[in-house]
Amino acid sequence: MSDKRVAQQVADELIDVPPSSAISLQMSVDHYLDVLRGVLDLFASRKEADVIYVTSTISFEAIKRVMEALDIDTSRVYFVDCISHIMMGASSGQTDEHTTLVESPTMLENVMLKVEYLIRLSEAKDKIVVIDSINSLAIHNNNWILSEFLHILVSGLRVRDVYTIILSVEEHSTPEINNMVNLVCDQGIRTGQKED
Amino acid sequence: MAKRSGERARCVTGIEGFDTVLYGGIPRSNTVLLTGSCGTGKTSLALEFLIHGATKGENSLFVSVTENSDKMLANIIPYNFFTDDLVESGKLVFVDLPVMYERLGMTKAELSMEEIDLLVTAIASLARELGTKRLVIDSITSVCYKLKTSEKIRDFVLKLSKALTDIDCTSILVSEVAAQSDSYSMFGVEEAISDGIVLMANMERRGDLLRTLQVIKMRGTMHSRAKYVLDLTPEGVLLVPLLKGGSTRA
């Protein structure tokens, strides 16, 4: 499947999803950027939603650079970065009003608190929280606490009519992680799967 | 289902998560001990309680004991919902207790029983005069250092609590305890005679330091007894449940 088609497939599958939905979006590692483009183009550009992007995979600076290289408008994207702080200087850590740092991806309560804070600040009608990714959070947390985190976070977002998208990478997922995500999500989208 | 009878009127703190923990707010006219070690967010939470009250039109009084109120305000988080107008209109009043001590001629290191009565009367009179519905003393521990004995502390807290209840004023007494203390107050007396105890703490979990809040007791209402993690933000104090799955401590 071509890169453009992956982004389009993601946008097509998500376009009619109602607010308060939680979606599991599993992709092949090769299609990570296409999926990102599909999600952000749809929500930030077309739906004019504020995007709260929780990154525990790569620093906000790196992901922002990638987005800008892909011509994705980041003016509606607010980062909750759980990784820059523990990189101990590998990232500049220079934040702006679009970025909030959490000291460590093990501080899951603080992730919830930062998301809550950004939701309160947002004046957009639609809001979406993207968790990138459940696999990288699973490196730092055991399945029990991660499962509890997802349940509380997603339940809270549903009440506020906020979309949730949980990204997972097919090659790094385990049955336990898939079950954990399926438990809290209304819909699962698998895209960009490698052909046999 | 039959409606619960005898529900006490509430002082809705305006701190969303906290009101949820308290099933709707602090029962009106309760005296609550807000206790914790340094850096746990006690002053921020107490001040937010007053700001929300003043915003709703309830006259609110902050009695600062340990530091000058101007200095305290300069160091506090700049809340998005705080406006100078609240202070200018007299809805939110700051008083420095050391100034009050001086005016009352209480210059000695230890207050006598008579002086305690005088101090309680002075605070209660000021609260009555201002029509105060919410009051914070930050901190009661510093006042207790001038009282020295358990009897005097008990006498002071009981009399103050009664005087504030009489004018339908809901109060928060900020209490400082050592970080690893098993007690809820420095002198062990304050906790026994207050209507409620809210414990704020720093909890270490696998090397992470989390700020937590737990309601230990609150007369006149059901309440959650669970521990919550909090964040101090310009939008106020935010609370989420403490995740238990990975906790290594009770």
Side-chain angles (χ1 to χ4, degrees):
Chain A
M1 190 182 278
S2 75
D3 295 354
K4 208 173 176 182
R5 280 183 57 196
V6 171
Q8 190 56 51
Q9 183 206 341
V10 169
D12 289 346
E13 297 236 29
L14 291 173
I15 194 152
D16 292 325
V17 167
S20 85
S21 299
I23 311 294
S24 155
L25 220 167
Q26 191 169 72
M27 76 208 96
S28 150
V29 70
D30 298 336
H31 290 110
Y32 173 71
L33 297 179
D34 309 310
V35 167
L36 205 61
R37 184 204 288 270
V39 171
L40 294 178
D41 270 349
L42 173 66
F43 284 98
S45 304
R46 286 157 65 186
K47 287 186 180 249
E48 297 189 337
D50 276 351
V51 179
I52 298 169
Y53 197 98
V54 178
T55 173
S56 58
T57 308
I58 54 176
S59 74
F60 80 93
E61 287 171 319
I63 208 155
K64 207 169 172 181
R65 275 199 301 272
V66 169
M67 287 177 184
E68 282 162 2
L70 292 170
D71 279 334
I72 295 171
D73 178 14
T74 57
S75 62
R76 289 185 169 274
V77 183
Y78 297 84
F79 294 96
V80 176
D81 178 327
C82 315
I83 203 74
S84 287
H85 215 279
I86 59 168
M87 286 161 63
M88 299 298 288
S91 160
S92 76
Q94 291 293 316
T95 59
D96 54 23
E97 59 180 10
H98 278 245
T99 311
T100 309
L101 299 185
V102 171
E103 277 181 58
S104 155
T106 53
M107 299 177 92
L108 296 172
E109 291 93 342
N110 284 8
V111 173
M112 288 194 276
L113 287 162
K114 299 305 180 194
V115 167
E116 167 69 17
Y117 174 61
L118 290 171
I119 287 172
R120 286 187 183 216
L121 285 188
S122 170
E123 290 173 353
K125 182 175 162 282
D126 290 324
K127 302 167 194 64
I128 174 171
V129 174
V130 179
I131 307 289
D132 177 9
S133 65
I134 193 67
N135 310 100
S136 54
L137 284 176
I139 295 171
H140 301 272
N141 298 281
N142 66 42
N143 287 352
W144 285 106
I145 201 164
L146 202 49
S147 189
E148 197 182 350
F149 162 72
L150 284 184
H151 190 219
I152 295 173
L153 178 73
V154 171
S155 303
L157 294 175
R158 278 187 204 284
V159 171
R160 292 165 181 270
D161 278 345
V162 177
Y163 299 92
T164 312
I165 290 188
I166 302 171
L167 302 184
S168 62
V169 177
E170 193 183 356
E171 293 87 334
H172 303 155
S173 275
T174 61
E176 290 78 20
I177 290 177
N178 292 339
N179 286 342
M180 184 193 303
V181 173
N182 291 340
L183 190 68
V184 296
C185 288
D186 311 296
Q187 189 181 334
I189 300 173
R190 295 183 74 184
T191 188
Q193 288 161 270
K194 281 185 171 172
E195 290 170 18
D196 293 328
Chain B
M1 193 181 285
K3 202 178 169 186
R4 276 196 297 267
S5 59
E7 282 262 315
R8 294 217 1 226
R10 300 307 174 107
C11 172
V12 179
T13 68
I15 304 163
E16 199 180 297
F18 191 41
D19 285 327
T20 304
V21 169
L22 291 170
Y23 286 38
I26 300 171
R28 198 163 278 284
S29 80
N30 265 9
T31 300
V32 177
L33 197 70
L34 179 60
T35 185
S37 56
C38 60
T40 51
K42 301 183 297 293
T43 300
S44 298
L45 186 135
L47 186 60
E48 189 181 343
F49 163 72
L50 294 187
I51 295 171
H52 286 308
T55 305
K56 284 197 328 184
E58 293 181 8
N59 291 351
S60 302
L61 174 62
F62 189 100
V63 180
S64 184
V65 185
T66 31
E67 63 182 341
N68 177 287
S69 50
D70 290 336
K71 188 181 165 197
M72 186 270 298
L73 271 174
N75 290 324
I76 212 85
I77 287 184
Y79 288 125
N80 291 340
F81 45 85
F82 175 77
T83 59
D84 292 337
D85 185 49
L86 294 174
V87 178
E88 285 158 13
S89 64
K91 284 282 165 206
L92 178 58
V93 175
F94 291 87
V95 171
D96 293 335
L97 198 63
V99 175
M100 205 183 260
Y101 286 147
E102 210 174 295
R103 286 188 185 155
L104 294 169
M106 296 173 180
T107 50
K108 288 181 197 156
E110 183 174 352
L111 300 184
S112 65
M113 291 301 258
E114 292 71 31
E115 285 175 319
I116 290 170
D117 285 343
L118 198 60
L119 183 60
V120 170
T121 305
I123 295 172
S125 300
L126 181 64
R128 188 178 293 110
E129 209 174 286
L130 295 170
T132 302
K133 291 296 164 203
R134 298 185 185 209
L135 179 141
V136 167
I137 297 183
D138 185 8
S139 69
I140 194 72
T141 313
S142 301
V143 179
C144 290
Y145 276 121
K146 277 181 89 77
L147 305 177
K148 312 280 189 194
T149 67
S150 301
E151 290 73 24
K152 283 183 182 174
I153 294 169
R154 178 180 291 273
D155 194 51
F156 172 71
V157 178
L158 277 175
K159 283 177 176 166
L160 182 67
S161 178
K162 184 179 180 316
L164 295 173
T165 301
D166 287 347
I167 57 169
D168 197 25
C169 175
T170 309
S171 56
I172 289 181
L173 310 180
V174 177
S175 166
E176 293 153 20
V177 288
Q180 299 303 323
S181 173
D182 288 332
S183 176
Y184 298 123
S185 61
M186 193 72 87
F187 300 91
V189 181
E190 310 91 295
E191 64 197 62
I193 44 185
S194 52
D195 298 309
I197 300 172
V198 178
L199 174 64
M200 299 182 77
N202 287 312
M203 193 195 93
E204 193 172 332
R205 186 181 64 201
R206 295 192 294 156
D208 297 331
L209 199 58
L210 302 169
R211 276 194 173 111
T212 63
L213 179 147
Q214 191 168 27
V215 176
I216 306 297
K217 95 171 181 186
M218 189 62 69
R219 287 183 185 135
T221 179
M222 293 191 296
H223 61 85
S224 163
R225 294 174 60 85
K227 202 172 263 187
Y228 295 82
V229 177
L230 69 105
D231 194 14
L232 308 174
T233 78
E235 287 290 297
V237 172
L238 303 181
L239 292 174
V240 294
L242 173 74
L243 300 177
K244 296 165 184 79
S247 180
T248 54
R249 292 180 55 177

